[in-house]
């Protein structure tokens, strides 16, 4: 609730995003129908709409790669949640997509923003005079001491490298969009390997957090990338589900394997 | 539930979308990291993932335009639902986006698929020998007789034309992606104006339904376009909300204007 | 959009549900804090809030039973979707519940309203003079002819009876809340068995649709019962998931069993 | 992802909630159809399903009051999000309810669990020997020093007391379900008034967090109460919306009041 003297709200409703009249639509100061529709690529528009700044061609291509990289990974939790929901409620496609993206949280799919925040913290320490190595070691030790998982590190399948991370970092170099956050990710990786005493995979979320922050996305909006990506990914699953349904079979597979453990008296 | 003799499910779980091992990911038969990430534009990937067919450059550009066209229209119902939800639960960005897309239903934002289905029905009639004019008139009359609204027609603000429709049809022509559904939309519009006795605006949803069907998207998946578009649009609203919050002010505006009408005894 | 001469909305915002001032809240004409909180049972309030009429004690007890009957059925699709989502995003409990209820659609869990609408149609036919037997036969034949599934009939596990249906009908009798819709459900069942040529299980959704309609709930709101029930049910699953996580194990079970079927070239 | 030597999941799928066969359903060790449906009140079942322990009659009545207390408060953010979503997608009732509960997050509606966690921390300090006054002062000072809002305190409308809090505490006393968390809430309130230098309203969320924790609900599950409550509340709004639609009018009200502030060049 806004805090005003009257106690109960009262601030005005103001937005810089869009205004429209009978014959035109203006989005962030541009003529939507003339300059944006047909004038921007989809990633170009996403970047523009999320940051207010027009993407360079390299930035738009990088965003293409970032979103695509995390759109599809088979029968993932989000894909299953969406397929199950579509099987149960096929007339509400939007509900299946919503169920799919609701799993883009911190544990499995939404750690890009957490990594981005950690990298931003490290970059700020470096700018304030700490050496890169020290900044990385301090952050890694703190996370370990707090008993936490290092956001963006580790993967249950991909070893020793997440091939998407490798590819994204290569593209970022090629497109010339790297900056201090991507650079610091390497420092953090080296420090983490020492602190944890074993090699931790730098997963795709870390690459997304680092590169998107270097391109100017606020860290908390890094999670927009897996969210959009999974909206796309689960639509692919729903398209397949509509032709060859397996959502209920999947549930039945679980059902058959599950063991009932009666509560103790 | 699947219908098997055992009664309780049992079909296998099979998918052609993706498989992965330690070092690689394969999506619809292609090496994801080598050929898709960095190799497809975002709309190119969306088209490929939803249809299994690689988009031509023109098709990918058209899909850019279709999705962008319906991403942003100011403080729309979906944008408000998302901003309100983000204001209430800012730590769960995915929830705000989900709340936003749940409004992509048939009344306001999800009529593309309904229009697509109607156009597909008309095209089938024409292929079976009915004249274009007759097919259009029959469909318009049937919808009117059933007391329904003609999906994809009418707009509360844009008159006499929806400028997005005009732009999308122009681009479709330019990109060479029009086909029988887009052609029949003009017939349906002419027939509808006669049947309803006034000029009905052909809105952006109709253009999306027609053009996406001509590009090969199954009609029911036309709704994927407004769903993805609004996921993007509401993320722009959330980005603004994080900097300049108005979600609660908007609710308070409603609250102040609302009238309590006591139930009769 | 509302249809006004100005074209762009304009109707007033009016509600009879609630008004509040600094020291009191009024809900549907009653003092919330004095008469409702502490004065109504939960089902009593649900009934009152959905219909505007105070439930009798029997009706409130019946609603208890209706909601409870469909709250829990093990690792169902909705429970799995919620557990998966909670495992992925444990800080947003509301998202896990939302993912769970999004599966309360017409195929698996939300058919109560469809059954209710069918029963209401039959009751209207009978009131207009058709015999009960004829009304039931006509409806069953129409659904069969349209190639449809008879909403509320059939169950993958429970045979020959759904034990919840048996129990709910028994309680409805005991509480004295049966009426024409519940009576007609028996007719429809008999007719369906003849039309389909085999005994169809009258499932719990049919009982919910029939009894709730007899108690005065509008047919489309019958679906509120499975929706609320599953919100409760999935919260129980989340409570267990927080202590003994299996959501990801379940996904892994599917993953292991799944077969990748490469797309043909 | 579970951590197993094989790297990729592998834990078993086990649950104590429910098992079923053709003729019976067992929930947490009880015969569902015989002992629970028709044998428990709705709140009794909710308590049982969330905690595994049968509620006393007093506890069930208290849970009735806790859930009802936060179900309805007029055109609140959640109610508006649900009405807007229902107006846009009326065929998917579950989507409107989902959109409504997605706003049950920490800022507006989901602070019960945060308060519960704070109270549990205080109770643990007291059990470890700190005086009640000191524990309360330390917690209040810490929250203030961290620049935070004290979860469960403050209300934009209700002053000097939240009438729901007053009523719930009165009922908790009457039902004999108070315990150390409810007692400590008074200490925390007194300390907070001193630390902030003004009287802070103890809002309904604080009462829910305190009382539900005293009844044995794990603190993180306190948020289940506003989630369920709003599922019920928004269904009441949808019921009204179906008869007298105002969702779009509400959006239009905002739209008319909103000011477009063009982005600076």
């Amino acid at each position: 609730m806004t805090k005003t003297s009257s106690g109960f709200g009262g601030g005005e409703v103001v937005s810089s995003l869009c205004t429209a009249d009978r014959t035109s639509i203006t989005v962030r100061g541009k003529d939507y129908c003339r300059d944006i529709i047909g004038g921007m690529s989809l990633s170009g528009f996403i970047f523009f709409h999320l940051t207010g700044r027009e993407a360079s061609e390299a930035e738009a291509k990088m965003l293409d790669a970032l979103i695509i990289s995390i759109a599809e990974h088979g029968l993932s939790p989000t894909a299953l949640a969406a397929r199950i929901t579509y099987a149960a409620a096929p007339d509400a496609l939007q509900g299946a997509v919503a169920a799919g993206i609701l799993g883009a949280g911190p544990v499995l799919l939404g750690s890009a923003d957490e990594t981005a925040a950690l990298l931003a913290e490290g970059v700020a320490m470096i700018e304030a005079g700490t050496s890169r190595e020290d900044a990385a070691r301090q952050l890694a030790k703190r996370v370990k001491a707090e008993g936490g998982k290092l956001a963006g590190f580790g993967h249950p399948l991909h070893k020793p490298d997440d091939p998407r991370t490798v590819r994204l970092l290569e593209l970022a170099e090629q497109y010339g969009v790297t900056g201090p956050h991507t650079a610091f990710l390497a420092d953090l990786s080296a420090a983490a390997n020492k602190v944890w005493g074993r090699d931790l995979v730098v997963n795709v979320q870390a690459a997304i957090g680092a590169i998107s922050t270097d391109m100017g996305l606020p860290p908390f909006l890094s999670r927009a990338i897996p969210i959009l990506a999974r909206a796309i990914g689960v639509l692919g699953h729903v398209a397949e589900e509509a032709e060859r349904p397996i959502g209920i079979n999947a549930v039945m597979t679980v059902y058959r394997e599950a063991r009932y453990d009666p509560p103790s008296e």
Side-chain angles (χ1 to χ4, degrees), chain A:
Chain A
M1 302 289 173
T2 55
K3 286 147 204 142
T4 68
S5 57
S6 71
F8 204 24
E12 68 171 344
V13 177
V14 58
S15 171
S16 300
L17 296 186
C18 180
T19 189
D21 59 25
R22 289 189 160 221
T23 57
S24 77
I25 302 166
T26 302
V27 170
R28 291 181 174 275
K30 287 180 182 296
D31 186 302
Y32 203 45
C33 295
R34 194 190 60 205
D35 300 331
I36 299 182
I37 303 173
M40 285 188 184
S41 72
L42 185 55
S43 284
F45 175 70
I46 294 169
F47 191 91
F48 177 62
H49 200 42
L50 263 59
T51 68
R53 178 169 75 76
E54 283 186 71
S56 69
E57 202 185 318
E59 286 169 328
K61 277 176 181 297
M62 189 71 233
L63 190 53
D64 281 348
L66 292 175
I67 298 176
I68 291 172
S69 75
I70 199 159
E72 180 55 42
H73 203 280
L75 294 171
S76 64
T78 48
L80 268 182
R83 290 185 90 131
I84 291 171
T85 305
Y86 180 74
D91 53 342
L93 184 59
Q94 69 277 14
V97 179
I101 65 175
L102 283 168
V107 174
L108 280 190
L109 197 63
S111 57
D113 55 333
E114 216 178 316
T115 313
L118 201 64
L119 296 174
E121 195 180 343
V123 169
M125 289 164 75
I126 293 163
E127 283 170 356
T130 310
S131 77
R132 291 170 52 156
E133 205 172 31
D134 280 357
R137 196 173 44 226
Q138 283 174 36
L139 289 175
K141 280 188 169 169
R142 190 188 71 199
V143 173
K144 182 99 176 357
E146 287 167 351
K149 225 179 134 293
L150 195 60
F153 287 79
H155 197 275
L157 173 62
H158 297 304
K159 285 183 181 40
D161 292 310
D162 185 328
R164 300 164 295 183
T165 304
V166 175
R167 179 64 166 146
L168 290 178
L169 292 174
E170 179 187 285
L171 288 169
E173 204 64 53
Q174 182 184 322
Y175 295 144
V177 297
T178 57
H181 301 87
T182 307
F184 185 62
L185 179 57
D187 301 314
L188 187 61
S189 170
N193 290 349
K194 281 184 199 145
V195 169
W196 265 265
R198 66 175 196 279
D199 282 5
L200 300 175
V201 177
V202 183
N203 68 38
V204 64
Q205 298 272 359
I208 291 171
I211 298 167
S212 67
T213 306
D214 273 337
M215 294 205 303
L217 218 62
F220 90 95
L221 272 181
S222 290
R223 199 186 287 183
I225 293 172
I227 292 171
L228 281 179
R230 286 305 160 115
I232 294 164
V234 303
L235 281 164
H237 280 272
V238 166
E240 190 184 59
E241 182 77 18
E243 295 223 333
R244 184 159 56 164
I246 60 162
I248 299 305
N249 290 354
V251 175
M252 289 300 125
T253 300
V254 174
Y255 206 94
R256 277 193 310 269
E257 293 290 313
R259 186 168 65 78
Y260 174 62
D261 177 29
S264 47
E265 288 304 303

